[in-house]
Amino acid sequence: MADATDRLSVVFAALADPTRRAILARLAEGEATVGELAEPFAMSLPAVSRHLKVLEKAGLITRGRSAQWRPCRLDAAPLADATDWLERYRRFWEGSFDALAEHLRELQKGQRNDE
């Protein structure tokens, strides 16, 4: 279980940065080179490459090699583990909100009976 948690930590750390999330959003549209990924950002190619290394370490992207072209591709599989982890808490909060809604209905019913 610690290994899965450690992988989640790496994925969530990678997702914590808005630049990396924007890179993933761009790669969701299709593969791209470092230069193409760097275009919308006011940063150097080496800075973008550092972001890509973080994403690659988290398993969120893969980098290919086709002659001199090195396309980056999204690998969304690690996001499934993160989604599963978050899903447990979504169910918890939905249950809590349902219980709160029921409690509020009971309070409202009691107020109407008092009138």
Side-chain angles (χ1 to χ4, degrees), residues 2-112:
D3 186 38
T5 302
D6 291 344
R7 280 184 303 203
L8 276 178
S9 296
V10 174
V11 170
F12 281 126
L15 294 173
D17 185 273
T19 300
R20 291 192 285 269
R21 291 192 306 270
I23 289 170
L24 290 176
R26 166 54 187 87
L27 290 174
E29 298 171 6
E31 63 186 27
T33 64
V34 175
E36 291 168 337
L37 293 170
E39 284 175 9
F41 304 107
M43 64 177 68
S44 66
L45 285 177
V48 172
S49 289
R50 286 191 293 274
H51 282 294
L52 293 175
K53 285 180 186 174
V54 171
L55 292 169
E56 193 171 21
K57 180 182 175 194
L60 294 166
I61 68 166
T62 58
R63 297 170 104 177
R65 181 166 287 206
S66 176
Q68 292 184 25
W69 192 56
R70 295 216 35 190
C72 297
R73 293 178 190 90
L74 176 66
D75 183 353
L79 294 174
D81 292 334
T83 300
D84 291 344
W85 187 84
L86 290 168
E87 179 65 21
R88 287 181 284 184
Y89 295 96
R90 184 188 64 78
R91 287 192 303 266
F92 166 78
W93 283 110
E94 281 183 355
S96 297
F97 290 138
D98 290 345
L100 177 60
E102 180 60 30
H103 179 70
L104 292 174
R105 278 192 292 276
E106 291 297 321
L107 287 176
Q108 288 173 339
K109 193 185 306 181
Q111 285 178 347
R112 276 187 247 136

